[in-house]
Amino acid sequence: MAVRQPKRRIRNEFTLGEGAAEYDGLLREAFYETWLYRAIVSRDDQRCFLIGRTGSGKSALFRQMEFEHGDHLIRLSPEDLSLTYIAELQVVRFLKSLDVHLDPLFIALWKHVLIIEIVKHRYQVDSPEAKQRFLNGLMDRIKRDKSKQEALKYLEDFDGKFWQETDERVKEIIEKFETQVKAEAGAKIGAGLASFSGNAGDTVMESGEKRRELVNRFQRLVNETQLPRLNKMERVLNEDILDSAQHYTYIVIDDLDRDWADEQITNDLIRCLFRAVMDLKRVENLKILVALRTNIFEALDFGRTGGQEEKFRGLSHTLRWSKNELRDLLDNRVSTAAQRHGLTDVKSMDELLPRTNPTRGNPLEYILSRTLLRPRDAIAFLNECFTLSNGKEKLTWTAIQSAESAYSKNRLLALRDEWKPTYPGIEELLTAFTRSPNTLDWDEMRRRLAECAVLIAEPDFPGRTWLTPIAEPLWSASSSDDTAEVHQPLIRLLHNIGFIGCITTVEEAIGSERRQVDEPAIYNNDQPSFADHVSNLRRVSAFTVHPAFRPALDIRD
């Protein structure tokens, strides 16, 4: 008599890992290698900026690089770069208030940090003795090149904290610069540290001519930062330190999307980091990769960099996922997770999903249509489903629908958190669509957008600065104005963050008649620039909130 095999059971603790790479125990074993991963590790691909939305997998790519190329990889975080320290420093805010152009200082600062990190990594410099051995050995190699010897002396200027943590070296450089500025200011106007304040640019000098003279002296001080010697160090780096493919080095910089004390100064710091990375591309056996959230990249002000924005974009990867790629990623994860839980016969996601339903359709299509096509969304939704599996052999449609409510609430909170650094108070615009119809015609959309526009009159609304110019066309519009043009700024915002989709209609022949038929809604992940063009909005017949957020806002299909 054949032994009956026990049915497999999905236990409630079954998961597909975590959406955040730093906590994801499945990442290494279940990593899904895309073309983008191959591109960023490629020594031939020159693109070095990785731009993507929260949850799109930027950090996961860097973690996998650490697993595979750890001996040749340096990882830097915002804490290493002391961005908050610099942004809050009184002397920096003082010079910024005087409109002193700080780019030369910031570019030199980042080059210094990156060069020292490479030297430390290459020669294992972790003590004064190790530093001296490195300097003596390298000085002996370049003894016939006076230019390189001069460059190497640059490193000796920072012997106090050379081998210490990166943030300590950053602070040392900034403190030296602060001392120079205080000395310059003190010699001219007798100002001490107490003179530095956020409004110093308005009060420190009564005479416009004297103020201009002071600004010019500070600007010269900034411009004389160690750039010439640093440029020579780049040559030493290329020819004598990373002098062969054996010493090929990656530097990855992630998490530059935190909340900072001073957004404008941080904007300048990140933009100058990009400039420093581009300059160091001259080093043949070095690849520096910087990951940045889409909204932070779009907010960078390239105006003072002489048309550099096009170059930055040309050296950027934009991280997007197709449904097929997400299916493959989920198959990788479910196969790995199943092995860990004893479900050795499970090889793909479809094996744990219910059958296609005539009403709801394909279950994986249903789930993916409720994501913004990002790994974190798909993993979060399915993990919610697995917590409701109740020991069954497969997920059920009931479990999927029950999980959708909690998932939607979390996605709405995540959307708020993603965009509130750029748009404080954005959640109040989102909740203006609570209990809206599933499909909003233009009349309904105008009413909801008007609710958004009046938020600028609320005394406690924190987003007046950004909402006022966006809502202004609604206040000044007349009845004869183009509706699409008047409402485009607000529609573009909501479309760009992935909150709404735009529905267009086409004329089709149905039997002997011709009728207007709605096309599928166009979301940001379908056509990112759709709402940027008023001509596109003139073709729109209706709008819809993305399915990911409908249950949280009590919008019923």
Side-chain angles (χ1 to χ4, degrees):
M1 182 176 178
V3 178
R4 186 177 180 181
Q5 295 295 323
K7 286 186 176 181
R8 70 184 182 208
R9 300 290 181 187
I10 305 174
R11 298 194 296 271
N12 291 12
E13 66 269 22
F14 185 94
T15 76
L16 298 184
E18 297 296 329
E22 57 269 32
Y23 307 117
D24 186 8
L26 283 183
L27 177 64
R28 186 169 189 174
E29 195 175 344
F31 181 73
Y32 173 63
E33 184 179 293
T34 62
W35 68 268
L36 181 54
Y37 181 75
R38 294 189 292 273
I40 64 174
V41 299
S42 169
R43 300 182 182 188
D44 298 321
D45 194 308
Q46 295 298 303
R47 289 169 290 182
C48 50
F49 306 118
L50 188 59
I51 312 301
R53 293 196 50 181
T54 298
S56 57
K58 302 184 297 296
S59 298
L61 293 171
F62 284 172
R63 272 203 76 194
Q64 186 64 20
M65 285 186 70
E66 285 187 275
F67 295 145
E68 294 189 359
H69 303 277
D71 292 342
H72 293 268
L73 185 141
I74 303 165
R75 182 161 191 159
L76 296 177
S77 70
E79 289 76 14
D80 295 325
L81 301 176
S82 296
L83 294 186
T84 302
Y85 170 80
I86 297 169
E88 294 178 348
L89 204 62
Q90 287 180 314
V91 67
V92 171
R93 298 166 73 89
F94 170 74
L95 294 176
K96 190 72 178 174
S97 71
L98 289 171
D99 203 27
V100 174
H101 186 45
L102 295 173
D103 281 18
L105 169 68
F106 292 158
I107 293 170
L109 177 66
W110 300 145
K111 284 187 178 182
H112 172 82
V113 167
L114 295 168
I115 288 171
I116 300 301
E117 283 299 316
I118 293 165
V119 169
K120 276 187 63 181
H121 181 267
R122 166 75 173 82
Y123 295 99
Q124 300 298 303
V125 178
D126 56 5
S127 68
E129 296 76 20
K131 179 221 171 184
Q132 199 56 50
R133 284 196 300 271
F134 146 70
L135 284 175
N136 291 341
L138 192 55
M139 191 68 78
D140 187 60
R141 288 182 61 185
I142 62 175
K143 58 187 176 184
R144 295 182 180 180
D145 191 323
K146 291 185 178 180
S147 176
K148 288 183 178 180
Q149 287 182 15
E150 181 64 27
L152 211 57
K153 288 179 182 177
Y154 168 80
L155 300 180
E156 296 177 342
D157 293 345
F158 296 93
D159 58 349
K161 294 187 173 70
F162 185 95
W163 62 89
Q164 294 185 11
E165 295 299 323
T166 312
D167 64 323
E168 291 298 319
R169 294 196 304 276
V170 170
K171 291 176 182 178
E172 182 183 37
I173 296 170
I174 292 296
E175 286 167 4
K176 286 186 176 183
F177 176 73
E178 181 182 41
T179 300
Q180 291 176 305
V181 172
K182 287 163 62 178
E184 191 76 31
K188 187 67 183 173
I189 59 173
L193 179 61
S195 300
F196 297 114
S197 64
N199 62 355
D202 299 324
T203 62
V204 73
M205 301 289 291
E206 293 184 7
S207 165
E209 183 178 347
K210 289 182 178 179
R211 184 179 184 276
R212 282 191 297 274
E213 181 184 347
L214 183 64
V215 169
N216 289 337
R217 293 186 65 164
F218 286 142
Q219 191 65 65
R220 282 195 297 272
L221 189 63
V222 171
N223 294 345
E224 289 167 1
T225 312
Q226 304 277 355
L227 276 176
R229 299 169 77 188
L230 272 171
N231 291 335
K232 291 177 182 177
M233 268 303 302
E234 290 176 34
R235 184 176 160 224
V236 175
L237 195 65
N238 188 40
E239 297 177 4
D240 302 287
I241 296 176
L242 301 181
D243 54 336
S244 72
Q246 179 184 352
H247 303 305
Y248 196 94
T249 300
Y250 297 100
I251 299 179
V252 298
I253 303 173
D254 196 8
D255 295 327
L256 292 174
D257 51 7
R258 309 282 180 83
D259 295 341
W260 307 111
D262 190 305
E263 199 170 302
Q264 183 55 54
I265 292 175
T266 307
N267 180 305
D268 292 344
L269 284 163
I270 294 175
R271 178 171 43 77
C272 290
L273 173 60
F274 276 40
R275 286 280 305 276
V277 169
M278 288 180 68
D279 288 348
L280 286 170
K281 288 181 70 63
R282 291 189 286 264
V283 180
E284 186 176 352
N285 291 307
L286 173 67
K287 188 167 189 177
I288 305 173
L289 295 159
V290 181
L292 197 62
R293 209 167 62 197
T294 302
N295 58 307
I296 306 293
F297 181 74
E298 296 297 340
L300 293 180
D301 180 10
F302 297 101
R304 300 186 73 168
T305 60
Q308 292 289 319
E309 181 172 4
E310 186 176 352
K311 291 182 181 179
F312 290 145
R313 291 189 181 277
L315 289 170
S316 298
H317 292 287
T318 300
L319 189 49
R320 295 193 185 96
W321 291 80
S322 69
K323 285 186 177 181
N324 286 336
E325 287 173 328
L326 285 177
R327 287 189 187 98
D328 289 344
L329 177 145
L330 292 172
D331 284 346
N332 272 21
R333 284 183 168 264
V334 78
S335 176
T336 302
Q339 291 292 322
R340 292 187 178 184
H341 287 267
L343 308 177
T344 54
D345 59 327
V346 175
K347 304 299 180 186
S348 71
M349 193 66 245
D350 286 339
E351 296 175 57
L352 295 183
L353 291 173
R355 293 179 180 177
T356 296
N357 181 293
T359 303
R360 303 182 183 95
N362 180 283
L364 191 54
E365 280 285 336
Y366 182 93
I367 289 168
L368 292 180
S369 71
R370 281 147 179 78
T371 72
L372 301 188
L373 292 187
R374 300 179 296 192
R376 185 176 297 176
D377 297 345
I379 292 169
F381 197 157
L382 283 161
N383 283 347
E384 288 284 353
C385 295
F386 288 128
T387 63
L388 302 175
S389 60
N390 296 321
K392 291 185 170 59
E393 188 176 357
K394 285 187 173 187
L395 292 175
T396 63
W397 276 106
T398 300
I400 292 173
Q401 287 196 300
S402 298
E404 190 173 349
S405 178
Y407 163 79
S408 179
K409 181 179 179 181
N410 289 334
R411 287 306 92 197
L412 189 65
L413 292 174
L415 189 72
R416 176 203 67 184
D417 293 342
E418 179 180 0
W419 291 97
K420 70 180 179 181
T422 307
Y423 303 116
I426 185 69
E427 65 274 14
E428 297 194 40
L429 273 71
L430 307 182
T431 54
F433 289 81
T434 301
R435 288 183 291 278
S436 73
N438 183 42
T439 303
L440 297 86
D441 61 20
W442 269 102
D443 286 341
E444 181 67 25
M445 190 64 172
R446 281 191 289 263
R447 189 175 73 80
R448 300 283 172 168
L449 294 178
E451 289 182 29
C452 296
V454 299
L455 288 170
I456 60 175
E458 297 290 336
D460 297 330
F461 179 65
R464 290 185 188 179
T465 302
W466 62 264
L467 182 57
T468 298
I470 293 176
E472 193 277 332
L474 274 72
W475 296 113
S476 58
S478 66
S479 58
S480 61
D481 286 338
D482 183 340
T483 292
E485 187 170 355
V486 167
H487 294 84
Q488 191 244 2
L490 264 174
I491 293 172
R492 178 174 56 193
L493 167 65
L494 295 171
H495 186 269
N496 284 352
I497 67 175
F499 183 68
I500 63 168
C502 301
I503 300 171
T504 59
T505 58
V506 294
E507 191 176 80
E508 289 186 0
I510 302 177
S512 60
E513 300 180 9
R514 299 191 69 82
R515 297 182 184 176
Q516 296 291 323
V517 178
D518 287 344
E519 293 272 83
I522 299 169
Y523 296 103
N524 182 262
N525 48 265
D526 301 315
Q527 295 185 38
S529 61
F530 180 85
D532 294 347
H533 306 289
V534 175
S535 58
N536 286 340
L537 295 185
R538 292 191 182 112
R539 299 189 292 111
V540 171
S541 58
F543 302 87
T544 184
V545 172
H546 193 287
F549 312 113
R550 289 176 195 166
L553 295 171
D554 198 19
I555 300 171
R556 303 299 175 189
D557 289 346

